[in-house]
Amino acid sequence: MEPKKEGLVVKFLRTYRHPFSLSEMKKVFEACGIEAEPQDIEYYLDSSANVMKLTNGKYLTHAGAFTGEIFSIMPTSAEAEQGVLVAGDRCMPFVESDRISSTLKFYINGKKIPSKIGEFDSDTAIDMFMLFGEEYAPQYIAADPANSDLDMAERDFELPNAVKLTGLSLDYLAENYNYKKGDRLLCCVSDWDKGTLNVMVLHSSDSPFDNGAVGEKRLEWYALLEKKMLESFNRSGPLGSIEDQIVDVIYRNRSKLCVPYCGSLEEFVTRYAKKIAFQRYGVETRLWHKGEDVPAFGEWNKESAICTGNSKKDLSFEEYSVAFVPPSVIDQFILNACFKKEKDIASSFMTFLFDDDYSASDTFYRDLSLNLKDRTIIISQDYNWFADQILGPVRCRCLELYAKISGLIRKIDYNGKTFLDFPSSELVILLQLHEHILKMLEGLATEPQAEELAENYLLSLDGMEWNFDEISGVLEKALAQEQRSQFKIVK
């Protein structure tokens, strides 16, 4: 997809606020000058972090889901003492997940609240970003402009004892709107695309324990949130991220949760949740039943536990494997081939997937060659080898790891009967690594500051390669056992 044309589609998905169907989205693509099949558009929407698929088959952007909905933030004592509130993860899921909180703009009575920088110990800072996942919190902290002198790559992603964070000025609210310690901020998003929010100060009662009718309603709010969160666990299991889980709960129950007496997610997790806590899930973090391991499979996805390769045995493993690779990865492979100045793209692609161990039919190989040739002509027109000297090596290494990760997934999926036959923890990590490497390849393609992040990408690859090496042997052994169990002795 051409960047300028895709930009128009992205703008639509960042600003449109009404439900839409797949056929309506196809018209949007056509209006932007993009020809695409319905299945490709469906894949594009399903891959978008800012689009929800509704139960009626329609889609809704996060801008449509959460613009104007009410949520609250309670400044902590540490923030009140410094006169600064750090948004961190507290605007989740109402604002864009990838937006750095220091770039959010807060308004009160039409006036922009000035920003202010505070300094916090690293543990406190990490707590402010925990809903993004503890594993990602340091990256969000390092991205704050107040930490521009902090070289996380040089520190192997270890935070110093204290960090600076940019927030909105509580001093300004105190001077102009009678804010005082213990008051709550009631917020709503006015422009999702621009990251703009409206704020009002909700003054606390005279009671330090916030008793009274409003306090009782807020306690009921926390109980309801926990009930709906537990229902989400039972209905959907651990979703793709903590944010996905929160999106599911808040959107479904917004009429009862997005109310003037609402509490905050931060207070819920740290003070009021009785049965829910942060739990490890592979290499990530999830909200889950307190003290319980997060399972890979359950009633919510028992059908997906069956290896999908079983339904595709009419395809050769080579045909199945090529269909498994997303178009975006194929584009990155072609760029890598241009960088390495390879001539036989099709042969290189098959080697990329199978390490020279493949047996594709002549017809299949010919069709693949023609498709890759056509796509290479389009991509190579704008390719500049000299300008690719920083990202080229990073892309090459990403694709090498992608080939290993996706190769193991494909072998398990194609040759196994059910994922339940494989070690759960290792399988979860493998699938998470697959998602992470796809996001990294997408970042290389779309992130404007990708070159500046090249060293960070390489450090992340170090960790991902280490994780893959840790689990691949266990899964390969389980796969070998699974394949042996399928042999039958014919007499």
Side-chain angles (χ1 to χ4, degrees), residues 16-273:
Y16 193 69
R17 298 185 184 179
H18 306 285
F20 58 91
S21 65
L22 196 60
S23 60
E24 289 170 329
M25 192 65 203
K26 182 173 174 57
K27 292 180 181 177
V28 173
F29 268 66
E30 291 171 349
C32 295
I34 302 170
E35 294 184 9
E37 295 298 321
Q39 60 267 26
D40 295 328
I41 298 174
E42 185 176 17
Y43 175 81
Y44 184 85
L45 292 174
D46 290 342
S47 302
S48 174
N50 299 319
V51 177
M52 304 162 49
K53 191 169 187 177
L54 305 180
T55 53
N56 60 2
K58 290 197 171 185
Y59 293 85
L60 182 66
T61 67
H62 281 203
F66 297 116
T67 299
E69 299 291 358
I70 297 172
F71 66 98
S72 77
I73 300 174
M74 172 65 83
T76 64
S77 295
E79 290 172 315
E81 289 171 5
Q82 297 192 57
V84 56
L85 181 138
V86 178
D89 59 16
R90 288 134 115 186
C91 297
M92 179 186 292
F94 302 92
V95 302
E96 182 181 6
S97 60
D98 290 338
R99 185 183 288 274
I100 305 304
S101 67
S102 58
T103 66
L104 293 170
K105 297 175 284 291
F106 294 84
Y107 288 79
I108 184 166
N109 291 342
K111 298 179 180 179
K112 187 174 184 295
I113 303 174
S115 60
K116 183 178 179 181
I117 295 174
E119 186 169 318
F120 303 89
D121 66 78
S122 294
D123 289 340
T124 299
I126 286 175
D127 288 342
M128 293 176 173
F129 295 85
M130 275 292 289
L131 291 178
F132 292 119
E134 186 177 8
E135 61 278 9
Y136 297 113
Q139 298 176 38
Y140 280 92
I141 294 169
D144 192 304
N147 294 313
S148 58
D149 59 342
L150 180 60
D151 190 336
M152 290 294 287
E154 189 177 90
R155 298 180 59 88
D156 290 336
F157 289 97
E158 291 291 332
L159 292 172
N161 293 330
V163 294
K164 296 177 181 179
L165 293 172
T166 305
L168 57 93
S169 174
L170 294 177
D171 293 339
Y172 174 84
L173 295 178
E175 293 169 4
N176 296 276
Y177 298 94
N178 198 30
Y179 165 82
K180 62 183 182 299
K181 184 177 178 179
D183 287 347
R184 185 179 298 273
L185 301 185
L186 210 58
C187 312
C188 73
V189 174
S190 57
D191 191 320
W192 189 93
D193 180 41
K194 296 179 180 178
T196 302
L197 301 93
N198 290 328
V199 175
M200 69 173 288
V201 178
L202 199 62
H203 298 292
S204 61
S205 64
D206 294 332
S207 168
F209 301 104
D210 201 20
N211 291 326
V214 174
E216 288 298 322
K217 280 184 171 292
R218 191 165 291 126
L219 290 176
E220 292 173 3
W221 185 92
Y222 287 118
L224 176 64
L225 176 59
E226 182 156 52
K227 177 185 176 183
K228 296 303 180 182
M229 189 74 74
L230 292 170
E231 288 177 2
S232 175
F233 295 163
N234 295 332
R235 177 181 61 250
S236 308
L239 295 175
S241 66
I242 293 175
E243 183 183 25
D244 288 347
Q245 206 91 49
I246 294 173
V247 166
D248 179 62
V249 173
I250 298 294
Y251 180 72
R252 286 174 181 268
N253 304 283
R254 59 196 181 282
S255 63
K256 295 181 179 180
L257 293 177
C258 299
V259 291
Y261 55 82
C262 62
S264 69
L265 282 170
E266 179 190 39
E267 292 172 285
F268 168 71
V269 174
T270 59
R271 294 176 55 191
Y272 293 102

Side-chain angles (χ1 to χ4, degrees), residues 283-341:
V283 295
E284 299 178 354
T285 311
R286 290 288 189 278
L287 286 176
W288 193 249
H289 299 279
K290 184 180 293 185
E292 294 184 15
D293 292 334
V294 185
F297 295 98
E299 287 299 316
W300 57 86
N301 65 349
K302 60 183 180 182
E303 292 183 3
S304 64
I306 301 172
C307 295
T308 59
N310 286 288
S311 63
K312 299 179 179 178
K313 293 298 184 176
D314 55 322
L315 299 177
S316 69
F317 181 61
E318 288 73 27
E319 292 170 326
Y320 163 72
S321 295
V322 171
F324 183 90
V325 182
S328 59
V329 174
I330 294 177
D331 285 354
Q332 290 299 299
F333 169 81
I334 291 172
L335 285 173
N336 189 50
C338 292
F339 176 73
K340 296 166 70 174
K341 299 182 178 180

